[in-house]
Amino acid sequence: MVKRNSEVEGKTAIWAIDMASVTTEKGPYYIAKVADKSTNKIVGYTIGIRGELKLIKKALLWAKRRQSPGQKVCIEVDQSRKFYSQDFQEWCRVNRFTIKYRNAMFKQAIEKMLLQGSSKK
């Protein structure tokens, strides 16, 4: 049995994702990082010129290929609205990530706001 990131295969790894911007003389760059919560080590990252959700998706896939191709992975996300989109939730389902929201009350407020917005169309 192979151990990966202090997790035994078959258990769920918990990863936190974050994005930061760095200003350079050539303009801003964005860094999406994926950190393993059990070891607090960065297990994946990507750098780009746009701070889009696509950057985070690339970092997650890169980390999953490197760290735990067959392991269950739960990603812990912050209160950013982009993580509540149906597109992101579907992408996570297809790529076998589960999502853990850091603030359940905030999630409920976002879902309510999204439902109200879709009913106005």
Side-chain angles (χ1 to χ4, degrees):
M1 187 179 289
V2 178
K3 289 186 180 183
R4 297 181 186 268
N5 295 333
S6 302
E7 295 283 340
V8 178
E9 284 187 32
K11 285 193 169 187
T12 302
I14 300 175
W15 293 349
I17 54 179
D18 188 28
M19 188 177 319
S21 65
V22 177
T23 303
T24 69
E25 54 190 45
K26 293 184 178 185
Y29 282 85
Y30 296 87
I31 303 167
K33 70 171 184 163
V34 181
D36 186 315
K37 297 275 291 188
S38 67
T39 63
N40 210 24
K41 291 183 180 179
I42 294 175
V43 294
Y45 69 93
T46 52
I47 300 171
I49 57 173
R50 292 195 177 109
E52 298 174 337
L53 196 54
K54 179 170 59 173
L55 203 60
I56 290 172
K57 291 175 181 179
K58 287 172 81 174
L60 283 166
L61 289 176
W62 186 68
K64 192 169 187 177
R65 279 193 297 270
R66 282 185 65 235
Q67 298 296 315
S68 59
Q71 187 177 22
K72 295 177 186 175
V73 178
C74 176
I75 54 173
E76 195 174 271
V77 298
D78 64 16
Q79 299 174 358
S80 177
R81 188 174 180 164
K82 64 183 162 263
F83 299 125
Y84 294 90
S85 71
Q86 289 179 341
D87 172 61
F88 183 70
Q89 291 182 17
E90 178 63 16
W91 181 88
C92 287
R93 189 189 65 73
V94 167
N95 289 285
R96 302 183 68 190
F97 290 103
T98 56
I99 305 171
K100 177 182 175 188
Y101 295 95
R102 290 188 188 138
N103 187 333
M105 279 182 28
F106 185 81
K107 178 183 184 260
Q108 291 170 354
I110 289 290
E111 287 174 342
K112 183 177 178 182
M113 186 171 60
L114 290 172
L115 284 173
Q116 289 173 347
S118 64
S119 65
K120 291 180 182 178
K121 293 180 181 177

